[in-house]
Amino acid sequence: MNPTYYLVLAAALFTIGAVGVLVRRNAIVVFMCVELMLNAANLTLVTFARINGGLEGQIIAFFVMIVAAAEVVIGLAIIMAIFRSRRSASIDDVNLLKN
């Protein structure tokens, strides 16, 4: 299969994720859009690794997946703590650093 298709798919996924981060106000949805952008970056890394015939892109993609898993754990814990205190997962309601 032509690697151009994978790159176009990765660009589409990244665009959808970026629009979701910029438009949506719910913290969970924004979180999922960030994950979508990370997966698009992983797809691009693996595609370029396959084009060049090396393993560097796949190794970097593996580390990105590890960082994304850690991000999910920490991010969901923060969102749950905010939801317990404010009863809302909206990004606009979070102003914890103002005072």
Side-chain angles (χ1 to χ4, degrees):
M1 193 169 204
N2 192 358
T4 306
Y5 298 136
Y6 295 112
L7 294 176
V8 169
L9 176 65
L13 289 175
F14 192 86
T15 303
I16 292 170
V19 169
V21 167
L22 293 176
V23 172
R24 300 301 299 253
R25 296 289 113 206
N26 189 342
I28 300 292
V29 174
V30 169
F31 206 64
M32 289 189 300
C33 290
V34 169
E35 294 295 323
L36 195 62
M37 289 192 299
L38 287 173
N39 285 327
N42 281 340
L43 183 61
T44 303
L45 287 170
V46 171
T47 302
F48 281 123
R50 178 146 177 123
I51 290 171
N52 293 329
L55 291 175
E56 296 87 9
Q58 295 176 5
I59 292 170
I60 294 171
F62 181 70
F63 283 115
V64 169
M65 283 190 278
I66 292 170
V67 169
E71 174 203 348
V72 165
V73 172
I74 294 170
L76 284 179
I78 291 171
I79 291 171
M80 288 295 293
I82 291 171
F83 183 78
R84 284 185 178 178
S85 66
R86 308 251 175 177
R87 294 289 175 208
S88 174
S90 177
I91 295 175
D92 294 332
D93 295 338
V94 179
N95 54 4
L96 298 174
L97 297 178
K98 281 189 174 180
N99 296 323

